[in-house]
Amino acid sequence: MGTVSVDTSPHAAPSRPGLSFALLGAVQITLIATITVITVALPAIQRDLRLTDTDLVFATSAYSLSFGGLLVLGGRLADLLGHRRVFVTGTVVFGAASLAAAAAGTLWVLVAARFAQGVGAAFAAPAAMALLGSVFPDAARRTRALAVWGVLASIGAGSGNILSGVILSWVQWRWVFVAPAVVSAVVALCAPLLPAGPARRPERLDVPGAVLITAGLTAFIYGLGESDGVWTGVGVLGLALFAVTQTRTSRPLVPPALLASARRLAALLAIGLTAAAMATYFFVLALYFQRTLDYSPLRTSAAFLPSVLAVLFTAAVGGRAARRFGAGALTAAGLALGAAGMGLLSGLGADSSYWGLLAAGITLFPVGAGFTFSGATVWAVEGTAPEEAGLVGGVVNTAMEIGPPVGLAVLVPLAVSYAAGHGGSGEPAADASGYGFAFGVAAVALALASALVLLQRASKSSGTPARG
């Protein structure tokens, strides 16, 4: 095990917490938008760099692999080295890698740059979330901030799709990577306005645990994304070995007690399932709009605009709702609304009108997802010690990153299989029925998760009078 030296000087809360939150939030939105912003640009990248479909998979997945695989380690290092220090380092690495991606002239330069983007993101995201405790020392304001923070991922995912369509209508695909670099540079220059976070004593880092969880998560995410059972199995084995090592070391990377809370596990499940449904929502609807309804990239981006407006609504009211009704209640309500939105989308057909059940589902699901992320983020963080804030941030972000490959690996094959049995894949009516079936399965999963959260709340209420 290695020893990590940390800053032990005291740090005061910022005089302008609103500005600090804006800086942190801008990075969080950008990190998530970088996942989806490349999607619409893939055909242009393929033509310019003369790539095959397999090449595009590497360019797309490199970011998610490093981002998802390193999040827990990034969160732990943020606790050991200092939240602001790790946040700035991650943001600078992410920005520099974004510029490298914009200048890429070959596949492997692009893949390396995307992987480096993910490394920077894995360090910046949990550190940013951990800094919220220093930005908002007051518990009530911190709860509202965490609720809004939970929605930022949805804003990032939606804005990435819209931004890419707008950029590609006017300039080259390379500009989809310049925009994140600009945000990173501005935030890095303004970083002195942020608090440094709690002081820490030197502690040892669980290096074997860090290697196992990083390798396990990376293999697991890669295996799911590629539908490769071998790599998925390797990932599961690595994570199982990691779990064993954590019970046998005096300085675990992830203390077992951290995941012993049924409340936190329910929150993480809600985040993961909602992230899975959201990834399927964007992926399937993008195919539906362009292949079935023959929308252009710009019109496809415009079709997602109601989803962004819906998420902005949840960001505005989520904090107050979490404070008034409790994080658990908001999580359950969000899952139920998300299930209703997916239920509406399950009825789409080859000739569905946009202004009908389709628009209603496109709008309602993001509202539910936003409320779920708001409530579950607060629920997962409640009771976290300041010295573990970065680690919990890493765990929460990991649930959000694992969700999409799980959702796509399960739901997209179901859609294809269902379409094949109802007219053949490639036929508009059959494809639409397959998409609807996948949305129906997602609706059932979200409804069951809502019931599970309600049961957890009921169990908690029977044991304590506190509201959750």
Side-chain angles (χ1 to χ4, degrees):
M1 296 191 180
T3 300
V4 179
S5 299
V6 296
D7 187 1
T8 58
S9 59
H11 305 284
S15 58
R16 297 181 179 179
L19 177 59
S20 295
F21 183 83
L23 292 173
L24 297 172
V27 170
Q28 177 70 357
I29 290 173
T30 302
L31 299 181
I32 302 301
T34 301
I35 299 173
T36 58
V37 75
I38 194 177
T39 304
V40 180
L42 287 176
I45 295 173
Q46 185 174 34
R47 289 192 302 270
D48 193 16
L49 300 185
R50 300 179 181 178
L51 306 180
T52 66
D53 289 346
T54 303
D55 294 337
L56 289 180
V57 172
F58 285 111
T60 303
S61 62
Y63 180 72
S64 296
L65 284 176
S66 54
F67 191 4
L70 289 166
L71 272 166
V72 174
L73 175 59
R76 190 56 177 158
L77 287 178
D79 290 332
L80 297 179
L81 298 174
H83 296 160
R84 185 176 67 187
R85 183 181 302 170
V86 173
F87 170 73
V88 173
T89 300
T91 300
V92 170
V93 170
F94 173 80
S98 298
L99 288 178
T106 66
L107 167 66
W108 296 112
V109 172
L110 179 60
V111 170
R114 290 282 288 169
F115 190 88
Q117 276 185 310
V119 173
F123 285 81
M129 186 173 173
L131 279 168
L132 294 179
S134 299
V135 173
F136 299 103
D138 176 70
R141 297 188 68 187
R142 185 166 59 252
T143 295
R144 290 195 295 270
L146 283 168
V148 174
W149 189 266
V151 183
L152 296 185
S154 301
I155 295 175
S159 61
N161 277 290
I162 293 175
L163 180 64
S164 59
V166 173
I167 289 176
L168 289 170
S169 298
W170 298 98
V171 293
Q172 288 187 334
W173 62 266
R174 298 179 184 277
W175 288 91
V176 302
F177 295 115
V178 174
V182 172
V183 173
S184 300
V186 172
V187 172
L189 290 173
C190 296
L193 299 174
L194 299 170
R200 293 298 312 278
R201 297 186 302 271
E203 289 189 14
R204 293 180 298 170
L205 177 67
D206 177 16
V207 175
V211 171
L212 282 172
I213 193 169
T214 299
L217 285 172
T218 301
F220 183 69
I221 293 171
Y222 177 79
L224 288 174
E226 296 299 304
S227 300
D228 189 320
V230 174
W231 279 108
T232 303
V234 170
V236 171
L237 177 61
L239 293 175
L241 290 174
F242 168 76
V244 171
T245 63
Q246 296 307 282
T247 63
R248 299 183 178 182
T249 177
S250 60
R251 298 284 185 176
L253 185 72
V254 179
L258 193 72
L259 299 179
S261 165
R263 167 185 53 78
R264 181 169 286 132
L265 289 177
L268 294 174
L269 175 65
I271 291 171
L273 280 178
T274 303
M278 177 163 282
T280 305
Y281 165 92
F282 282 117
F283 181 84
V284 169
L285 284 178
L287 291 178
Y288 175 72
F289 288 139
Q290 296 183 75
R291 292 183 178 178
T292 307
L293 301 184
D294 199 29
Y295 282 14
S296 67
L298 183 59
R299 190 178 180 186
T300 299
S301 294
F304 284 114
L305 185 58
S307 69
V308 176
L309 298 177
V311 170
L312 291 175
F313 163 75
T314 64
V317 304
R320 291 191 295 272
R323 189 69 181 170
R324 180 174 180 180
F325 301 109
L330 184 61
T331 302
L335 288 166
L337 288 173
M342 282 291 179
L344 292 173
L345 291 175
S346 69
L348 54 82
D351 55 355
S352 294
S353 170
Y354 181 83
W355 298 109
L357 292 179
L358 181 56
I362 287 173
T363 304
L364 184 58
F365 170 73
V367 172
F371 284 146
T372 301
F373 287 140
S374 289
T377 300
V378 174
W379 223 26
V381 173
E382 281 180 350
T384 299
E387 62 271 17
E388 292 183 341
L391 177 58
V392 172
V395 171
V396 169
N397 278 279
T398 298
M400 197 169 290
E401 286 301 306
I402 288 180
V406 171
L408 293 174
V410 173
L411 295 175
V412 172
L414 283 178
V416 172
S417 177
Y418 192 87
H422 291 75
S425 181
E427 294 294 326
D431 284 345
S433 67
Y435 299 152
F437 179 72
F439 286 137
V441 173
V444 172
L446 292 174
L448 291 175
S450 178
L452 179 64
V453 169
L454 288 175
L455 286 174
Q456 166 58 25
R457 287 190 72 248
S459 174
K460 176 182 177 182
S461 297
S462 66
T464 71
R467 198 175 46 173

